[in-house]
Amino acid sequence: MRLRGQRFARLPRSVQATYLRPLKRKAQYGYPSCDLQLRSYNVRNVEFFADFALRAAYYLHLPALGPVPLPRIIERWTVPRSHFINKKSQENFERITLRRLIQIHDGHPETIEMWLAFLRKHAYYGVGMKANVWEHKGLGVGKTMDVSLENLKKTLEPRWAHFGRRKNLETSQKVYEMMNGEAFRRTSDAPLSGT
C-alpha cells in the first residue's frame, strides 16, 4: 500500500510486534514458580497459544522460559473393520498429542494466579493447560501453621460433634416430644417408654 511521499505505509508497532518473537524478562534468582504445560493435537494451536502466553507473561513482568517442546504422546489403536469372520481386515488409528512447556521463575504467587486466570479466560480452542504452581515461604512457617491449626480446631469442634447427622440436639428433642404426644399414641399400638 503506497501513500503520497512514502514508499510503503508503515504498520503500527503493536502490529509489527506480532511478527517478531515474544519479548522475555530475565530471572534474577532462578527459583521456579510455575510450570505450564500446553497440550494439543494441532501444532498450530499449541504454538499460537504458547506465543500468546509468553507475551502475557512479559507484560505482567514475569520471567518466562520456553516454549520447550516436550516428547509427543503417540496412541495407536487397531480395530476390526467388520465383525465375525473378517479378522484380517482391520483399521489402524493414531492420535499424536503435542506438548509445550513454559516455565516461570521468580514470580509472585498473586501475579502467577492472575496470569493463569487470564490464560483460562482467553483459552484457545483445542489447547489443554496443566499448571504446577510452587509457593515459597520463609523459615518458621511451621509455628504459624500450628497456631492456625488450633484456631481451626476451635471453629470445627461444634461441627464435628454432629458429623454424619443432619439433626442437632434441639431437633431430636422435638422429635421425641412429638412421638410421646397424644396424636402419635392414638395412631401407634404402644406408647414409647420415657428414658
Side-chain angles (χ1 to χ4, degrees), residues 34-40 49 70 73 99-103 115-116 119-120 127-134:
C34 177
D35 279 356
L36 178 68
Q37 190 179 113
L38 305 173
R39 293 181 177 201
S40 179
F49 197 69
L70 296 175
I73 299 173
R99 300 183 297 168
R100 299 290 183 269
L101 177 69
I102 297 174
Q103 295 178 320
W115 178 63
L116 291 173
L119 294 180
R120 255 182 267 127
V127 179
M129 293 183 285
K130 183 175 101 174
N132 293 330
V133 181
W134 293 281

Side-chain angles (χ1 to χ4, degrees), residues 17-67:
T18 59
Y19 293 102
L20 303 174
R21 276 187 278 140
L23 298 171
K24 295 179 184 176
R25 299 187 187 277
K26 289 192 176 184
Q28 185 176 1
Y29 301 108
Y31 66 88
S33 298
C34 177
D35 279 356
L36 178 68
Q37 190 179 113
L38 305 173
R39 293 181 177 201
S40 179
Y41 303 126
N42 190 347
V43 70
R44 280 180 152 179
N45 292 355
V46 76
E47 288 291 337
F48 176 79
F49 197 69
D51 185 79
F52 176 77
L54 286 174
R55 289 175 195 276
Y58 174 77
Y59 287 112
L60 286 173
H61 298 279
L62 291 172
L65 300 174

Side-chain angles (χ1 to χ4, degrees), residues 92-187:
N92 296 316
F93 296 99
E94 178 178 77
R95 182 168 66 186
I96 299 174
T97 306
L98 304 164
R99 300 183 297 168
R100 299 290 183 269
L101 177 69
I102 297 174
Q103 295 178 320
I104 303 292
H105 292 281
D106 303 341
H108 193 272
E110 290 179 10
T111 312
I112 291 173
E113 288 298 321
M114 190 179 352
W115 178 63
L116 291 173
F118 180 76
L119 294 180
R120 255 182 267 127
K121 182 180 178 184
H122 300 287
Y124 198 64
Y125 71 93
V127 179
M129 293 183 285
K130 183 175 101 174
N132 293 330
V133 181
W134 293 281
E135 196 170 321
H136 302 277
K137 297 280 185 179
L139 296 175
V141 72
K143 294 177 184 175
T144 58
M145 288 173 66
D146 291 341
V147 171
S148 64
L149 180 65
E150 292 300 323
N151 294 336
L152 189 64
K153 279 184 182 176
K154 289 177 186 174
T155 57
L156 289 178
E157 194 64 39
R159 292 179 187 257
W160 281 111
H162 300 290
F163 182 73
R165 293 185 262 159
R166 297 225 181 241
K167 305 174 220 159
N168 54 17
L169 191 58
E170 298 155 2
T171 309
S172 60
Q173 287 290 341
K174 288 180 186 176
V175 169
Y176 185 73
E177 289 171 7
M178 187 172 61
M179 290 176 75
N180 281 332
E182 189 64 33
F184 186 78
R185 283 189 197 158
R186 277 186 269 149
T187 58

Side-chain angles (χ1 to χ4, degrees), residues 64-80:
L65 300 174
V68 178
L70 296 175
R72 297 175 177 184
I73 299 173
I74 300 174
E75 299 166 288
R76 292 188 178 104
W77 298 274
T78 302
V79 181

